[in-house]
Amino acid sequence: MSDSGFYATAMRGLPGVIDHWLTLGDAPVARLGIILADTARVAKLGEPEGDPDRATLEQWRTDTPPSLWAARAAIFLLVQMPARPAPRSPDECAAWAYVWIRLREHESPDQARAALPGHLQEALTLAIDHAWQDREALRLL
């Protein structure tokens, strides 16, 4: 794991990503946990051992960084929502960029940015650059 300032900021923002999904999702929290886990499995974003229960989701949305599969599935779902959600804080912005860079393979930060929905490109421009630098630093270890 990286010990960069960006990484720490992104980790602080991950609970916000889950909270954003749970706030905008149009189903009871327990059902949203099933949707999150099923999305991770079907879209090959991770292999959850089971569906997160309400207590786990509540922990993830407030203070405990979620599993990476959950964050990846939440971002995958959020960017497709017609409501066009965007990060609500600098920490959440870093988390969105951190997860986006790891959601799919990108050849460059410009390619990662171009793959974002249009409404997120400007909001995540700087954060994508920091996420890319963080990811590249890990490759040097």
Side-chain angles (χ1 to χ4, degrees):
M1 287 192 197
S2 173
D3 57 358
S4 74
F6 173 81
Y7 178 80
T9 302
M11 292 303 103
R12 282 193 309 271
L14 285 178
V17 169
I18 299 300
D19 178 65
H20 213 146
W21 162 243
L22 294 175
T23 300
L24 294 177
D26 189 21
V29 171
R31 179 75 180 127
L32 292 173
I34 293 167
I35 293 168
L36 205 60
D38 285 349
T39 298
R41 291 180 194 104
V42 171
K44 303 203 181 321
L45 303 173
E47 286 297 324
E49 293 178 17
D51 299 336
D53 60 17
R54 183 182 187 92
T56 300
L57 291 168
E58 292 299 333
Q59 284 182 317
W60 285 351
R61 88 185 306 180
T62 57
D63 62 356
T64 304
S67 297
L68 188 53
W69 69 260
R72 290 172 72 167
I75 292 294
F76 180 85
L77 292 164
L78 285 167
V79 301
Q80 296 180 64
M81 291 182 120
R84 298 171 38 132
R88 302 168 294 184
S89 71
D91 289 355
E92 195 175 317
C93 187
W96 280 56
Y98 176 87
V99 173
W100 185 257
I101 288 292
R102 287 156 177 81
L103 198 58
R104 300 280 185 246
E105 286 298 317
H106 307 282
E107 296 294 320
S108 69
D110 289 337
Q111 186 186 59
R113 221 179 340 274
L116 284 164
H119 74 281
L120 292 171
Q121 289 179 0
E122 186 177 332
L124 293 178
T125 290
L126 187 57
I128 289 290
D129 288 337
H130 291 298
W132 189 267
Q133 290 170 357
D134 180 77
R135 190 188 80 162
E136 292 299 302
L138 292 177
R139 291 183 180 184
L140 298 176
L141 296 177

mmCIF file of all heavy atoms in Angstrom, residues 23-54:
data_model
loop_
_atom_site.group_PDB
_atom_site.id
_atom_site.type_symbol
_atom_site.label_atom_id
_atom_site.label_comp_id
_atom_site.label_asym_id
_atom_site.label_seq_id
_atom_site.Cartn_x
_atom_site.Cartn_y
_atom_site.Cartn_z
ATOM 1 N N THR A 23 -27.345 6.370 -0.280
ATOM 2 C CA THR A 23 -28.256 7.517 -0.252
ATOM 3 C C THR A 23 -29.055 7.617 -1.546
ATOM 4 O O THR A 23 -30.258 7.898 -1.519
ATOM 5 C CB THR A 23 -27.459 8.818 -0.026
ATOM 6 O OG1 THR A 23 -26.778 8.720 1.236
ATOM 7 C CG2 THR A 23 -28.358 10.038 -0.012
ATOM 8 N N LEU A 24 -28.412 7.384 -2.679
ATOM 9 C CA LEU A 24 -29.084 7.539 -3.969
ATOM 10 C C LEU A 24 -29.779 6.266 -4.454
ATOM 11 O O LEU A 24 -30.657 6.335 -5.310
ATOM 12 C CB LEU A 24 -28.079 7.996 -5.029
ATOM 13 C CG LEU A 24 -27.492 9.388 -4.823
ATOM 14 C CD1 LEU A 24 -26.454 9.683 -5.892
ATOM 15 C CD2 LEU A 24 -28.579 10.443 -4.809
ATOM 16 N N GLY A 25 -29.365 5.122 -3.931
ATOM 17 C CA GLY A 25 -29.967 3.862 -4.365
ATOM 18 C C GLY A 25 -31.447 3.817 -4.014
ATOM 19 O O GLY A 25 -31.861 4.256 -2.949
ATOM 20 N N ASP A 26 -32.241 3.287 -4.918
ATOM 21 C CA ASP A 26 -33.691 3.275 -4.757
ATOM 22 C C ASP A 26 -34.165 1.902 -4.291
ATOM 23 O O ASP A 26 -34.862 1.197 -5.030
ATOM 24 C CB ASP A 26 -34.350 3.661 -6.086
ATOM 25 C CG ASP A 26 -35.843 3.888 -5.937
ATOM 26 O OD1 ASP A 26 -36.298 4.148 -4.808
ATOM 27 O OD2 ASP A 26 -36.550 3.789 -6.961
ATOM 28 N N ALA A 27 -33.721 1.539 -3.091
ATOM 29 C CA ALA A 27 -34.114 0.253 -2.514
ATOM 30 C C ALA A 27 -33.740 0.281 -1.030
ATOM 31 O O ALA A 27 -32.935 1.112 -0.604
ATOM 32 C CB ALA A 27 -33.393 -0.895 -3.223
ATOM 33 N N PRO A 28 -34.288 -0.642 -0.263
ATOM 34 C CA PRO A 28 -33.861 -0.748 1.134
ATOM 35 C C PRO A 28 -32.364 -1.070 1.213
ATOM 36 O O PRO A 28 -31.798 -1.691 0.298
ATOM 37 C CB PRO A 28 -34.708 -1.903 1.688
ATOM 38 C CG PRO A 28 -35.864 -2.028 0.745
ATOM 39 C CD PRO A 28 -35.356 -1.584 -0.595
ATOM 40 N N VAL A 29 -31.730 -0.669 2.301
ATOM 41 C CA VAL A 29 -30.286 -0.848 2.458
ATOM 42 C C VAL A 29 -29.872 -2.305 2.253
ATOM 43 O O VAL A 29 -28.881 -2.578 1.573
ATOM 44 C CB VAL A 29 -29.803 -0.318 3.833
ATOM 45 C CG1 VAL A 29 -28.353 -0.683 4.095
ATOM 46 C CG2 VAL A 29 -29.986 1.196 3.898
ATOM 47 N N ALA A 30 -30.614 -3.243 2.808
ATOM 48 C CA ALA A 30 -30.254 -4.661 2.649
ATOM 49 C C ALA A 30 -30.242 -5.055 1.171
ATOM 50 O O ALA A 30 -29.346 -5.771 0.711
ATOM 51 C CB ALA A 30 -31.221 -5.542 3.432
ATOM 52 N N ARG A 31 -31.209 -4.578 0.417
ATOM 53 C CA ARG A 31 -31.273 -4.882 -1.023
ATOM 54 C C ARG A 31 -30.116 -4.222 -1.765
ATOM 55 O O ARG A 31 -29.552 -4.796 -2.692
ATOM 56 C CB ARG A 31 -32.623 -4.402 -1.589
ATOM 57 C CG ARG A 31 -32.770 -4.638 -3.063
ATOM 58 C CD ARG A 31 -33.044 -6.112 -3.363
ATOM 59 N NE ARG A 31 -33.179 -6.264 -4.797
ATOM 60 C CZ ARG A 31 -32.476 -7.137 -5.514
ATOM 61 N NH1 ARG A 31 -31.642 -7.964 -4.928
ATOM 62 N NH2 ARG A 31 -32.621 -7.214 -6.810
ATOM 63 N N LEU A 32 -29.750 -3.000 -1.353
ATOM 64 C CA LEU A 32 -28.627 -2.315 -1.985
ATOM 65 C C LEU A 32 -27.315 -3.072 -1.762
ATOM 66 O O LEU A 32 -26.441 -3.074 -2.626
ATOM 67 C CB LEU A 32 -28.523 -0.879 -1.470
ATOM 68 C CG LEU A 32 -29.665 0.040 -1.903
ATOM 69 C CD1 LEU A 32 -29.561 1.388 -1.188
ATOM 70 C CD2 LEU A 32 -29.700 0.221 -3.405
ATOM 71 N N GLY A 33 -27.186 -3.728 -0.620
ATOM 72 C CA GLY A 33 -26.009 -4.564 -0.366
ATOM 73 C C GLY A 33 -25.953 -5.751 -1.319
ATOM 74 O O GLY A 33 -24.882 -6.097 -1.827
ATOM 75 N N ILE A 34 -27.092 -6.350 -1.584
ATOM 76 C CA ILE A 34 -27.156 -7.470 -2.532
ATOM 77 C C ILE A 34 -26.809 -6.976 -3.934
ATOM 78 O O ILE A 34 -26.032 -7.614 -4.658
ATOM 79 C CB ILE A 34 -28.560 -8.123 -2.501
ATOM 80 C CG1 ILE A 34 -28.795 -8.795 -1.143
ATOM 81 C CG2 ILE A 34 -28.721 -9.122 -3.643
ATOM 82 C CD1 ILE A 34 -30.239 -9.205 -0.891
ATOM 83 N N ILE A 35 -27.353 -5.830 -4.321
ATOM 84 C CA ILE A 35 -27.062 -5.262 -5.639
ATOM 85 C C ILE A 35 -25.572 -4.970 -5.771
ATOM 86 O O ILE A 35 -24.957 -5.256 -6.805
ATOM 87 C CB ILE A 35 -27.899 -3.991 -5.882
ATOM 88 C CG1 ILE A 35 -29.384 -4.349 -5.998
ATOM 89 C CG2 ILE A 35 -27.407 -3.233 -7.110
ATOM 90 C CD1 ILE A 35 -30.327 -3.155 -5.951
ATOM 91 N N LEU A 36 -24.980 -4.422 -4.720
ATOM 92 C CA LEU A 36 -23.549 -4.110 -4.732
ATOM 93 C C LEU A 36 -22.719 -5.377 -4.940
ATOM 94 O O LEU A 36 -21.840 -5.417 -5.812
ATOM 95 C CB LEU A 36 -23.181 -3.444 -3.401
ATOM 96 C CG LEU A 36 -21.990 -2.547 -3.343
ATOM 97 C CD1 LEU A 36 -22.111 -1.369 -4.279
ATOM 98 C CD2 LEU A 36 -21.794 -2.053 -1.907
ATOM 99 N N ALA A 37 -23.010 -6.421 -4.176
ATOM 100 C CA ALA A 37 -22.251 -7.672 -4.289
ATOM 101 C C ALA A 37 -22.495 -8.357 -5.634
ATOM 102 O O ALA A 37 -21.539 -8.839 -6.270
ATOM 103 C CB ALA A 37 -22.610 -8.613 -3.138
ATOM 104 N N ASP A 38 -23.733 -8.385 -6.075
ATOM 105 C CA ASP A 38 -24.030 -9.001 -7.375
ATOM 106 C C ASP A 38 -23.354 -8.242 -8.516
ATOM 107 O O ASP A 38 -22.850 -8.848 -9.457
ATOM 108 C CB ASP A 38 -25.544 -9.064 -7.621
ATOM 109 C CG ASP A 38 -26.232 -10.154 -6.811
ATOM 110 O OD1 ASP A 38 -25.518 -10.998 -6.214
ATOM 111 O OD2 ASP A 38 -27.484 -10.159 -6.782
ATOM 112 N N THR A 39 -23.335 -6.920 -8.429
ATOM 113 C CA THR A 39 -22.660 -6.118 -9.452
ATOM 114 C C THR A 39 -21.176 -6.442 -9.482
ATOM 115 O O THR A 39 -20.588 -6.601 -10.559
ATOM 116 C CB THR A 39 -22.877 -4.612 -9.196
ATOM 117 O OG1 THR A 39 -24.280 -4.336 -9.280
ATOM 118 C CG2 THR A 39 -22.113 -3.766 -10.189
ATOM 119 N N ALA A 40 -20.566 -6.553 -8.322
ATOM 120 C CA ALA A 40 -19.142 -6.889 -8.260
ATOM 121 C C ALA A 40 -18.879 -8.235 -8.930
ATOM 122 O O ALA A 40 -17.919 -8.369 -9.696
ATOM 123 C CB ALA A 40 -18.659 -6.918 -6.813
ATOM 124 N N ARG A 41 -19.731 -9.195 -8.677
ATOM 125 C CA ARG A 41 -19.535 -10.521 -9.262
ATOM 126 C C ARG A 41 -19.752 -10.513 -10.781
ATOM 127 O O ARG A 41 -18.918 -11.006 -11.539
ATOM 128 C CB ARG A 41 -20.493 -11.515 -8.612
ATOM 129 C CG ARG A 41 -20.172 -11.827 -7.175
ATOM 130 C CD ARG A 41 -21.169 -12.838 -6.594
ATOM 131 N NE ARG A 41 -21.055 -12.890 -5.158
ATOM 132 C CZ ARG A 41 -21.930 -12.322 -4.307
ATOM 133 N NH1 ARG A 41 -23.009 -11.708 -4.754
ATOM 134 N NH2 ARG A 41 -21.732 -12.409 -3.005
ATOM 135 N N VAL A 42 -20.874 -9.954 -11.211
ATOM 136 C CA VAL A 42 -21.247 -9.985 -12.626
ATOM 137 C C VAL A 42 -20.291 -9.146 -13.474
ATOM 138 O O VAL A 42 -19.888 -9.564 -14.563
ATOM 139 C CB VAL A 42 -22.711 -9.522 -12.814
ATOM 140 C CG1 VAL A 42 -23.054 -9.337 -14.275
ATOM 141 C CG2 VAL A 42 -23.665 -10.523 -12.169
ATOM 142 N N ALA A 43 -19.917 -7.967 -12.979
ATOM 143 C CA ALA A 43 -19.042 -7.074 -13.749
ATOM 144 C C ALA A 43 -17.558 -7.386 -13.527
ATOM 145 O O ALA A 43 -16.710 -6.672 -14.036
ATOM 146 C CB ALA A 43 -19.334 -5.619 -13.382
ATOM 147 N N LYS A 44 -17.299 -8.441 -12.759
ATOM 148 C CA LYS A 44 -15.928 -8.880 -12.487
ATOM 149 C C LYS A 44 -15.099 -7.766 -11.839
ATOM 150 O O LYS A 44 -13.968 -7.491 -12.226
ATOM 151 C CB LYS A 44 -15.263 -9.399 -13.751
ATOM 152 C CG LYS A 44 -16.046 -10.544 -14.384
ATOM 153 C CD LYS A 44 -15.214 -11.409 -15.262
ATOM 154 C CE LYS A 44 -15.978 -12.524 -15.911
ATOM 155 N NZ LYS A 44 -16.966 -13.226 -15.215
ATOM 156 N N LEU A 45 -15.701 -7.174 -10.801
ATOM 157 C CA LEU A 45 -15.051 -6.104 -10.043
ATOM 158 C C LEU A 45 -14.494 -6.609 -8.723
ATOM 159 O O LEU A 45 -13.905 -5.851 -7.965
ATOM 160 C CB LEU A 45 -16.052 -4.975 -9.779
ATOM 161 C CG LEU A 45 -16.690 -4.375 -11.026
ATOM 162 C CD1 LEU A 45 -17.785 -3.391 -10.631
ATOM 163 C CD2 LEU A 45 -15.636 -3.718 -11.891
ATOM 164 N N GLY A 46 -14.692 -7.862 -8.462
ATOM 165 C CA GLY A 46 -14.233 -8.475 -7.224
ATOM 166 C C GLY A 46 -15.081 -9.692 -6.920
ATOM 167 O O GLY A 46 -16.072 -9.952 -7.601
ATOM 168 N N GLU A 47 -14.661 -10.432 -5.928
ATOM 169 C CA GLU A 47 -15.368 -11.653 -5.535
ATOM 170 C C GLU A 47 -15.760 -11.590 -4.062
ATOM 171 O O GLU A 47 -15.073 -12.146 -3.201
ATOM 172 C CB GLU A 47 -14.491 -12.883 -5.791
ATOM 173 C CG GLU A 47 -14.360 -13.248 -7.249
ATOM 174 C CD GLU A 47 -15.683 -13.637 -7.885
ATOM 175 O OE1 GLU A 47 -16.535 -14.278 -7.224
ATOM 176 O OE2 GLU A 47 -15.876 -13.280 -9.055
ATOM 177 N N PRO A 48 -16.856 -10.910 -3.756
ATOM 178 C CA PRO A 48 -17.295 -10.879 -2.356
ATOM 179 C C PRO A 48 -17.633 -12.279 -1.865
ATOM 180 O O PRO A 48 -18.171 -13.089 -2.618
ATOM 181 C CB PRO A 48 -18.526 -9.989 -2.374
ATOM 182 C CG PRO A 48 -18.895 -9.804 -3.796
ATOM 183 C CD PRO A 48 -17.736 -10.189 -4.643
ATOM 184 N N GLU A 49 -17.287 -12.532 -0.613
ATOM 185 C CA GLU A 49 -17.585 -13.845 -0.024
ATOM 186 C C GLU A 49 -19.071 -14.019 0.209
ATOM 187 O O GLU A 49 -19.573 -15.127 0.247
ATOM 188 C CB GLU A 49 -16.817 -14.008 1.279
ATOM 189 C CG GLU A 49 -15.322 -14.078 1.076
ATOM 190 C CD GLU A 49 -14.562 -14.181 2.377
ATOM 191 O OE1 GLU A 49 -15.175 -14.516 3.420
ATOM 192 O OE2 GLU A 49 -13.356 -13.932 2.360
ATOM 193 N N GLY A 50 -19.752 -12.928 0.399
ATOM 194 C CA GLY A 50 -21.196 -12.952 0.624
ATOM 195 C C GLY A 50 -21.745 -11.563 0.401
ATOM 196 O O GLY A 50 -21.011 -10.644 0.031
ATOM 197 N N ASP A 51 -23.032 -11.410 0.634
ATOM 198 C CA ASP A 51 -23.645 -10.094 0.506
ATOM 199 C C ASP A 51 -23.464 -9.347 1.827
ATOM 200 O O ASP A 51 -23.708 -9.917 2.894
ATOM 201 C CB ASP A 51 -25.140 -10.232 0.201
ATOM 202 C CG ASP A 51 -25.396 -10.965 -1.108
ATOM 203 O OD1 ASP A 51 -24.499 -10.972 -1.977
ATOM 204 O OD2 ASP A 51 -26.495 -11.528 -1.258
ATOM 205 N N PRO A 52 -23.047 -8.078 1.764
ATOM 206 C CA PRO A 52 -22.882 -7.334 3.012
ATOM 207 C C PRO A 52 -24.235 -7.093 3.666
ATOM 208 O O PRO A 52 -25.217 -6.763 2.991
ATOM 209 C CB PRO A 52 -22.235 -6.020 2.561
ATOM 210 C CG PRO A 52 -22.613 -5.870 1.132
ATOM 211 C CD PRO A 52 -22.739 -7.265 0.591
ATOM 212 N N ASP A 53 -24.294 -7.283 4.974
ATOM 213 C CA ASP A 53 -25.542 -7.035 5.685
ATOM 214 C C ASP A 53 -25.653 -5.554 6.047
ATOM 215 O O ASP A 53 -24.738 -4.763 5.814
ATOM 216 C CB ASP A 53 -25.649 -7.923 6.927
ATOM 217 C CG ASP A 53 -24.532 -7.699 7.940
ATOM 218 O OD1 ASP A 53 -23.840 -6.658 7.872
ATOM 219 O OD2 ASP A 53 -24.352 -8.565 8.802
ATOM 220 N N ARG A 54 -26.782 -5.198 6.592
ATOM 221 C CA ARG A 54 -27.055 -3.793 6.931
ATOM 222 C C ARG A 54 -25.992 -3.218 7.868
ATOM 223 O O ARG A 54 -25.524 -2.092 7.650
ATOM 224 C CB ARG A 54 -28.441 -3.672 7.559
ATOM 225 C CG ARG A 54 -28.820 -2.252 7.869
ATOM 226 C CD ARG A 54 -30.216 -2.184 8.550
ATOM 227 N NE ARG A 54 -30.595 -0.820 8.682
ATOM 228 C CZ ARG A 54 -31.303 -0.134 7.794
ATOM 229 N NH1 ARG A 54 -31.708 -0.722 6.697
ATOM 230 N NH2 ARG A 54 -31.605 1.137 7.995
#
